[in-house]
């Protein structure tokens, strides 16, 4: 197995978020292979749609998780899909 060196640029390309936000995105997304639940209905694509700052700057994970949970509880994601 060949080891791969990740730079901030390659991390951003691979995970679709700013390199400092990979952990925040993974927390919200969860990890099915390790049976770690994320926030239902929110993956990287949806997350960056509602939180575009994840693409360009370091964000506070607690603020993201709080707002994301509120969105799911309020059905905002489902409403926006129907539009």
């Amino acid at each position: 197995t060949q080891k791969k060196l990740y730079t901030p640029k390659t991390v951003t390309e691979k995970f679709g978020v700013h390199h400092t936000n990979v952990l925040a995105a993974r927390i919200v997304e969860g990890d099915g292979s390790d049976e770690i639940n994320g926030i239902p209905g929110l993956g990287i694509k949806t997350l960056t749609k509602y939180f575009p700052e994840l693409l360009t700057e370091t964000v506070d994970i607690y603020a993201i998780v709080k707002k994301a949970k509120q969105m799911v509880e309020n059905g905002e994601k489902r409403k926006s899909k129907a539009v």
Side-chain angles (χ1 to χ4, degrees):
T1 306
Q2 188 176 11
K3 293 184 181 185
K4 189 172 185 179
L5 176 65
Y6 285 95
T7 64
K9 182 181 176 185
T10 57
V11 168
T12 299
E13 290 169 356
K14 179 176 172 87
F15 293 100
V17 294
H18 190 266
H19 66 275
T20 60
N21 297 325
V22 172
L23 180 59
R26 296 292 292 159
I27 288 169
V28 173
E29 188 178 40
D31 187 354
S33 65
D34 289 329
E35 296 182 27
I36 298 171
N37 296 328
I39 298 173
L42 288 177
I44 295 290
K45 206 172 185 182
T46 304
L47 197 59
T48 55
K49 176 181 174 185
Y50 290 105
F51 304 98
E53 61 272 19
L54 283 167
L55 299 170
T56 58
E57 60 191 69
T58 302
V59 297
D60 175 26
I61 181 61
Y62 297 107
I64 296 290
V65 170
K66 183 179 178 181
K67 186 173 178 186
K69 282 184 177 180
Q70 288 173 344
M71 290 171 59
V72 171
E73 289 169 0
N74 295 336
E76 288 180 37
K77 180 180 174 287
R78 286 185 290 276
K79 286 180 196 171
S80 68
K81 243 184 171 179
V83 172

